[in-house]
Structures are given as structure tokens and as C-alpha cells.
Amino acid sequence: MIDPVLASRLQFALTTIVHIIFPVMSMGLAPFLIYFTWKDIRSDDPVYEQLRRFWTKIFAVSFVVGTVTGIVLEFEFGTNFAAFSTAAGELFGGPLAIEGMMAFMLEATFLGVFVFGRERVGDALYFVSSIAVGLGTWLSAVWILIANSWMQTPRGFEVVQEGGQRVIHLTDPLAAYANPRFPWMFVHMQNAAVESVALFMAGVGAYYVFRHHIWDYTVVEIGFWEKTMKIGIAALLITAPLQVLHGDAYGRHVAETQPQKFAAMEAVWETDSYVPEYIVAFPTDLQDLTDPRAKELFGLGIPGGASWLASGGDPQAEIRGLNTFETEAPPVALVFWSFRAMVGMGFWFLLLAFWGGYRWWRGQLLEDDLLHKALMGSSLLGILAVQLGWVVTEVGRQPWVIQGVMKTSDGVSPGLTGAEATLTLAGFALVYTLLLVLYTYVIARIVREGPPGNDELETPTPELGPEEPPTVGAGDD
């Protein structure tokens, strides 16, 4: 059986990795749906009604599955991390409760009006419902990220002994909930969600445009898919540069507030200056595979790049090494490679945005089959980049569950056995895999059916069969 601490960590990681897909889809779709609704009401172009109805289906499915998988996460604080809940419940429970009462209720209430009310309420109320749904989605992220960011940079509390246990009391709500990490996490997360949906839109639209213009397939409503691809590229032109610029500043903030995490991101063991930013780095000794920058490594890096990132422009800046911290280092290889994959994809999305924008400006957007293939292949990479970002955030913080205050091993439920933790881990792995497969099937079916009003997305060219013999009637010779 797996150690209960490791099994609990794996279970929470698994359920979070699956769950985060659905909030990303709903948060990313929210501003698009508000825009589609506004254009549907104010313009005579029927494509905006199709866009609103089509993407509302995907939003609604994502919302339902996200709600189911998100509730489980909150239960896990009681089943697997009861010691953490006992110690930090006063501070951590507040944002989660407000998220349920404020954001979820707002979103769930107006979602009914938004999904079923177009012919039942006036234009003004219907548009308000789209804003309320989007606002609820984003407010949900506000409270979740307030709770998580406090775990990264805790403020406004004191630790006291109650009944032989260390308990965290809230002393300054403003300092705790407006902690320095929150604005960085919120902007980065919300922009990543919109960017991910923009990539998905551009990829799905490019698929049908490619089939129609390049392969000469008959595609019903090709105007709908062209519009979808263009809207995705337009959103990508806004979000991709912002994500790169913000990510650079965010990295500097991490270096200032969580130097151990930053050292793990760069795999810096000894304090040094003029530290290179390794693009790839492999140890030459197989025994050091968990250390991307072990001695005698093979690597390719930018001289002084990591120091420049940590300081905001000084390639000679010093970076504190992992060996100087009293606590053990986080899993360095996982953090190191996740960070590089996420950053690499961020620059790829930037290239895609400018590539698509340039072709659009030159009037060649519909003929560039290589761009269409690139968009198709990248349609899910935005969500993968979000996953890797959370790996850097959460694994890089280890061994702390609350940075500098409580270790993850101290937050696990004291009576939890390895057998219990392993059994629930296996159960969640099975159920969440089935949920993910079912969600993928439903979304693929919605995409295949195309915009509402079409019974078939494609009209296949009828095949010529053998000519039937003429019918011979009773009176014929």
C-alpha cells in the first residue's frame, strides 16, 4: 500500500488535474458568450445567434461536470487533510463558503435564464443574464484563488495552541485575503483560461475550414466555422502577448516571495550569480535523472537568463540555492520540466497568434493549410499549459501546504491508513477517468453536430451505385 501522505497528495493532484479542465472552459467561454449575446441582440447577423447557442451548450456541459468534480475537492479536505482543515479552517473555509453562496448561486441561478430564456424574457434581461453567468464564473475563481494564494504567501494570521493542536486564527482579514500573490494568480489564471478557449475555438474552426477549403469537402455552415476561427485568432492576439509579459513579471514575484520554489523552477542547488536559463538540461549520470542540472550535465541555456528573470533585468543577480534552505527540496525535475513546457507553449501560442494575424491581414487566412494544421494540433495545448502551471505552483511549494507555516505531511488526516488512502485513490482514478471520457465524448458530439439548426454538419457527396434495371410493367412488351 502507498504511504497515506503520498496517496493523499496523488489523489488531490489527480482530482484537481481533471477538475481544472472544466472551470477553464467555463471561465474562458464567459467573455465570449457575453460578446455573442450582445451581437445577437444588436445585429442582424444570424451567425452570432448560432455562435451563442453552440458555445452555450459547451459552457453548460462544462459547468455541470465542473460542479460535480469541484465538490469532491472540498470533501477531500475533510477525508484526507483533516489536520489541515482543523488548523486552518477558520481562515481557509471563509473564501470557500463565500464562493458557494455568492459566485456559484449567481452563476447557477442565471444559467437557467441564459440557457432556456431567450424566447421567454426581454433582450435587456437576457443580456443581463449572460453578464451574471460570466460574473459568477469569474467570482468563483476570485474566492478559490484568494484561498490558494493565501497558502502561497500567508498573511494576517496568528498560530496558537488549542487543545494541544496548532490552530491558525484570522487576525487581519484585509491582509489575509488581499495577500500579495492573489492579483498575480488571478490575472494569470483568467487570461490563461480565455487563451485556452481561444485556442480551442481557433482549432475547431480551422479543422472545418481546412476540410472545406483545402480538401474541398462539402461543409454546411462554413461561414460559421470561418467566423469561429477568426474570433479565436482575434482573442489569441490579445491574450497570448499578455500571458508572456505577465508571466515574466509573475516569475519575478515568485523569486521574491518563494525563493525555494524559484530555485526548483531553475534547478539551482548552490547559491550563484549569472545563472543561465536552461532551455534543456539532462544529467549525464542515470542516477541523477531526478536532478535536471546535476553535475556533468548536458544542457543548452541562455547565459545569465535565470538571474535576469529573477531580478527583472540583471544577468549578474544572485539566486539562492536549494541546499541553503532548511527544508527538503520539492521534486525538482517535475517542477523544472513543467515550467519549461509551460513557458515553451506560451511562446508557441504567441507565434500562432502573430502567424494567424499576419495571414488574416494579408487576406490569406483561409488558404494557409499549414496554419490550419498548427491550430488543429494546438487546440488543447492551452488546457495542458494550465495544468503544467498548476504543477509548478503546487508541487513547487512542497513540502509546505501553507508556505513556511505547515508542512503537507502535517496536514494529512491523522487516522488515515495507507490502505484507505490507496483504495480511495484507485476509486477516484477510475471514476474521474470515466467522467473525463464521457465529457470528451459529449463535447466531440456537440462539435460534430455543428451549429444549431443543422441536422448534419457535412453533406457527403452521394456515391454513384450500379444503375438499376428499368421496371417492367404488366402491360409492357
Side-chain angles (χ1 to χ4, degrees), residues 335-451:
V335 178
F336 179 87
W337 285 114
S338 297
F339 178 64
R340 266 140 197 83
M342 177 189 67
V343 172
M345 280 191 274
F347 280 103
W348 169 243
F349 302 155
L350 186 66
L351 175 63
L352 272 181
F354 287 135
W355 185 1
Y358 175 74
R359 288 299 191 189
W360 194 351
W361 176 62
R362 294 294 301 268
Q364 301 167 336
L365 185 60
L366 304 182
E367 286 77 33
D368 191 341
D369 59 335
L370 187 59
L371 173 63
H372 300 158
K373 291 177 183 177
L375 290 172
M376 284 185 266
S378 304
S379 56
L380 299 179
L381 291 186
I383 293 174
L384 178 59
V386 172
Q387 305 272 16
L388 293 170
W390 273 105
V391 169
V392 175
T393 300
E394 299 304 306
V395 178
R397 185 184 56 199
Q398 300 303 318
W400 302 102
V401 63
I402 304 172
Q403 182 72 42
V405 178
M406 173 182 266
K407 289 186 176 180
T408 306
S409 56
D410 296 330
V412 173
S413 304
L416 188 67
T417 66
E420 292 169 340
T422 305
L423 183 63
T424 56
L425 169 62
F428 276 113
L430 176 63
V431 172
Y432 270 58
T433 300
L434 291 175
L435 271 175
L436 186 58
V437 170
L438 181 62
Y439 173 79
T440 304
Y441 170 77
V442 171
I443 297 299
R445 182 164 181 168
I446 292 173
V447 171
R448 184 172 177 77
E449 288 176 350

Side-chain angles (χ1 to χ4, degrees), residues 204-226:
V204 171
Y207 171 71
Y208 286 106
V209 169
F210 181 78
R211 290 167 70 93
H212 179 71
H213 289 283
I214 307 300
W215 283 358
D216 203 24
Y217 273 57
T218 300
V219 177
V220 178
E221 297 289 356
I222 188 59
F224 172 87
W225 295 115
E226 290 177 0

